[in-house]
Amino acid sequence: MKINKYEDISQIEKEAKKDYIDRHSAFIHCEDTAKAGEKFKVKVKIGDEYKHPDDFDHYIQWVQLWDRENMLAQTTFSAGAQGNEPANVEVDFYIVPKKNAKLIAQAFCTKHGLWQSDEKVLTIE
Amino acid sequence: MKINKYEDISQIEKEAKKDYIDRHSAFIHCEDTAKAGEKFKVKVKIGDEYKHPDDFDHYIQWVQLWDRENMLAQTTFSAGAQGNEPANVEVDFYIVPKKNAKLIAQAFCTKHGLWQSDEKVLTIE
Amino acid sequence: MKINKYEDISQIEKEAKKDYIDRHSAFIHCEDTAKAGEKFKVKVKIGDEYKHPDDFDHYIQWVQLWDRENMLAQTTFSAGAQGNEPANVEVDFYIVPKKNAKLIAQAFCTKHGLWQSDEKVLTIE
Amino acid sequence: MKINKYEDISQIEKEAKKDYIDRHSAFIHCEDTAKAGEKFKVKVKIGDEYKHPDDFDHYIQWVQLWDRENMLAQTTFSAGAQGNEPANVEVDFYIVPKKNAKLIAQAFCTKHGLWQSDEKVLTIE
């Protein structure tokens, strides 16, 4: 099964391809460091410069947050939760890390399959 | 199947019962009004004054956000995502409302079943 | 939040209402008795005499199996898994009961909300 | 993120490794051919000769069924649904294929991550 990986769209020429790659890519937004045992916010957002449709037959159905091989949480969306308009699907997870983590997010598009973020290294101070 | 509903713990005398009710209750935190077609943040947090265990055999497994009869999103957590310490499980959903909504959150505890928040009326300006 | 409960459609006169009730109702199909500690099959099927659409904007999104207050399993379907034609959505769960159980199934329709089965008493021989 | 793939355990010498690989592997059990537009049963079973623990801190949390890049269904289990004894976690999905499919199953173990089945080619008669 193909897992689509993040690509730097500044290196991509064709507008349609930039859009396709960017709007499906999962991005992890969080601090670089955390305190052991304290609540820590991890935003996962799909797309950066481009938005993804929220059509009934074409939408971002779920997002997962992993620390290496360990899945921490999964959010499943219903089609229409973004008002049936193009959007950057977004969810804030709150985790309590106890040691360094390597965060990865995955997103599933009902038409274009599975997309995996870059790894985000989280260091415990 | 029993659905536990929110109770105002200031009206409850026994400390153990206050704790039990509060730590399982789902609370919706969001603005009272939204703009039609704009992204809107809805925080769901389990417990207010008391924390819930994050033990492998006793944790908050999932949280759902509903608008009346329509489920918008569900987040499933793995045991240990809160560091295996008592916590207020929390997730921020982002939705795009187009009309007035009546938001309800539900949370499932693996030992004490299903808990439903009060209804939060969301008005489109 | 409204939870629709099973109604005996033989007591309902109007054809459209029979169809509406039946095609959303969750039915548990399993033996009445099980052996403690042995694998036990529980089929959950949505609808009996009438089928439910599998349209992108109108389908059975998930089914849950509960034993009293304890959720055992949840299956989430993608729209189109039934070929986009009306169907009786169906899933077989396999559980290992250790004591008597009271099974309940719930099904979520993306247009018509939550539907709950009758309780099925499972007796350990 | 590592995805563990099926290995033929008859080619593995060490008993502990045979057990580790087999008990995590997702196997698809279904006919080789289906009729277009008819309901078709796909069993996904984890492990063949060896069983996997169903401990609170170590269990098979979910199983997904895919057709190429398209997820058809996901079943999430609660720890204890297998009676807290070693078991071959199992679920029967019912899908309605309209054209040839390439089925893949994935299983997630809360201690040992993601495991992917071999691809099962399904031919429409």
Side-chain angles (χ1 to χ4, degrees):
Chain A
M1 198 175 63
K2 193 185 171 194
I3 299 183
N4 301 283
K5 299 270 171 75
Y6 172 72
E7 291 175 53
D8 180 356
I9 63 165
S10 72
Q11 304 305 310
I12 296 172
E13 273 190 27
K14 290 190 184 167
E15 177 62 17
K17 194 174 175 195
K18 272 182 198 279
D19 186 342
Y20 177 76
I21 299 287
D22 182 87
R23 75 174 183 262
H24 283 106
S25 293
F27 295 93
I28 293 177
H29 304 266
C30 67
E31 300 296 322
D32 296 329
T33 60
K35 288 184 183 166
E38 294 197 2
K39 193 179 274 200
F40 182 76
K41 178 179 173 173
V42 182
K43 183 185 286 296
V44 179
K45 199 170 171 179
I46 312 307
D48 178 28
E49 300 178 27
Y50 298 84
K51 295 178 177 184
H52 190 282
D54 181 38
D55 298 335
F56 287 113
D57 64 344
H58 185 200
Y59 71 107
I60 303 295
Q61 188 184 93
W62 52 258
V63 169
Q64 293 177 337
L65 179 65
W66 294 72
D67 172 17
R68 294 181 185 83
E69 310 316 305
N70 184 28
M71 194 189 77
L72 300 173
Q74 173 174 348
T75 298
T76 301
F77 302 95
S78 296
Q82 316 298 321
N84 291 123
E85 297 291 339
N88 293 112
V89 163
E90 188 175 345
V91 59
D92 301 336
F93 296 108
Y94 294 84
I95 60 174
V96 180
K98 294 198 292 192
K99 50 185 185 181
N100 295 347
K102 291 186 178 176
L103 301 175
I104 292 175
Q106 288 193 329
F108 173 65
C109 163
T110 57
K111 267 205 181 153
H112 304 107
L114 200 53
W115 295 74
Q116 184 169 308
S117 75
D118 274 356
E119 186 180 272
K120 168 82 184 184
V121 175
L122 175 63
T123 307
I124 300 297
E125 298 176 320
Chain B
M1 199 176 61
K2 192 185 172 195
I3 299 183
N4 301 283
K5 299 269 172 75
Y6 172 72
E7 291 176 53
D8 179 354
I9 64 165
S10 72
Q11 304 306 310
I12 296 173
E13 273 189 27
K14 288 190 184 167
E15 176 62 18
K17 195 175 175 194
K18 273 182 196 279
D19 187 343
Y20 177 76
I21 300 287
D22 182 88
R23 74 173 184 262
H24 284 107
S25 293
F27 296 94
I28 293 177
H29 304 267
C30 67
E31 300 296 320
D32 296 329
T33 59
K35 289 184 182 163
E38 294 199 1
K39 194 180 277 201
F40 182 75
K41 178 179 173 173
V42 181
K43 182 185 289 294
V44 179
K45 199 171 172 180
I46 313 306
D48 179 28
E49 300 178 28
Y50 298 85
K51 296 180 177 182
H52 190 282
D54 181 38
D55 298 335
F56 287 112
D57 63 345
H58 185 200
Y59 70 107
I60 302 295
Q61 190 183 92
W62 51 258
V63 169
Q64 292 178 338
L65 179 65
W66 293 72
D67 172 17
R68 293 182 186 82
E69 310 316 307
N70 184 27
M71 195 191 76
L72 300 173
Q74 173 174 347
T75 298
T76 301
F77 301 95
S78 296
Q82 315 299 321
N84 292 122
E85 298 290 339
N88 293 113
V89 162
E90 189 175 345
V91 59
D92 300 338
F93 297 108
Y94 294 83
I95 61 173
V96 181
K98 294 197 291 192
K99 51 185 184 180
N100 295 347
K102 293 185 177 177
L103 301 175
I104 292 175
Q106 287 194 331
F108 173 65
C109 162
T110 57
K111 269 205 180 153
H112 302 108
L114 199 54
W115 295 74
Q116 184 169 309
S117 75
D118 274 355
E119 186 179 273
K120 167 83 184 182
V121 174
L122 175 64
T123 307
I124 298 298
E125 298 175 318
Chain C
M1 200 176 60
K2 192 185 172 197
I3 300 183
N4 302 283
K5 300 268 171 75
Y6 172 71
E7 291 176 52
D8 180 355
I9 63 166
S10 72
Q11 304 305 312
I12 296 171
E13 273 188 29
K14 288 190 184 166
E15 176 63 17
K17 193 174 177 197
K18 272 182 197 278
D19 185 345
Y20 177 76
I21 299 287
D22 182 87
R23 73 172 184 262
H24 283 107
S25 294
F27 295 94
I28 294 178
H29 303 267
C30 68
E31 301 294 323
D32 296 328
T33 60
K35 288 184 183 165
E38 293 197 4
K39 192 179 277 198
F40 182 77
K41 177 177 172 173
V42 182
K43 181 185 287 297
V44 179
K45 199 169 170 179
I46 312 308
D48 178 27
E49 300 178 25
Y50 298 84
K51 296 179 177 183
H52 190 282
D54 180 38
D55 297 336
F56 287 112
D57 64 345
H58 184 201
Y59 70 107
I60 303 294
Q61 190 184 91
W62 51 258
V63 170
Q64 291 177 338
L65 179 64
W66 293 72
D67 173 16
R68 294 181 185 81
E69 310 316 306
N70 184 29
M71 195 191 76
L72 300 173
Q74 173 173 349
T75 298
T76 301
F77 301 95
S78 295
Q82 315 300 320
N84 291 123
E85 298 291 338
N88 293 113
V89 162
E90 188 175 348
V91 60
D92 300 337
F93 296 108
Y94 294 84
I95 61 173
V96 180
K98 294 199 289 193
K99 49 186 186 181
N100 295 345
K102 291 186 178 176
L103 300 175
I104 293 175
Q106 288 194 330
F108 173 64
C109 163
T110 57
K111 268 203 179 155
H112 303 108
L114 200 52
W115 295 74
Q116 184 170 309
S117 75
D118 275 356
E119 186 180 270
K120 167 82 184 185
V121 175
L122 176 63
T123 307
I124 299 298
E125 298 176 319
Chain D
M1 200 177 59
K2 192 186 172 195
I3 299 183
N4 301 283
K5 300 269 171 76
Y6 172 72
E7 291 175 54
D8 179 355
I9 63 165
S10 71
Q11 305 305 311
I12 295 173
E13 273 189 27
K14 289 190 183 165
E15 177 61 19
K17 193 174 177 197
K18 273 181 196 281
D19 186 346
Y20 177 76
I21 299 288
D22 182 88
R23 73 172 184 262
H24 283 107
S25 293
F27 295 93
I28 294 177
H29 303 267
C30 67
E31 301 294 322
D32 296 329
T33 60
K35 288 183 182 165
E38 294 198 3
K39 193 178 277 199
F40 182 77
K41 178 178 174 175
V42 181
K43 182 185 287 297
V44 179
K45 198 169 171 180
I46 313 306
D48 178 27
E49 300 177 26
Y50 298 85
K51 295 179 176 181
H52 190 282
D54 180 38
D55 297 336
F56 287 112
D57 64 344
H58 184 201
Y59 70 107
I60 302 296
Q61 189 183 92
W62 51 258
V63 169
Q64 291 177 338
L65 179 65
W66 294 72
D67 172 16
R68 292 180 185 85
E69 311 316 307
N70 183 28
M71 195 190 75
L72 300 174
Q74 173 173 348
T75 298
T76 300
F77 302 95
S78 296
Q82 315 299 320
N84 291 123
E85 299 290 339
N88 293 112
V89 163
E90 189 174 345
V91 59
D92 300 337
F93 297 108
Y94 293 83
I95 61 174
V96 180
K98 294 199 289 194
K99 50 185 184 180
N100 294 346
K102 292 185 177 176
L103 301 175
I104 292 175
Q106 287 195 330
F108 172 64
C109 163
T110 57
K111 268 203 179 155
H112 302 108
L114 199 52
W115 295 74
Q116 184 169 309
S117 75
D118 274 355
E119 186 180 272
K120 167 83 184 182
V121 175
L122 176 63
T123 307
I124 298 297
E125 297 177 319

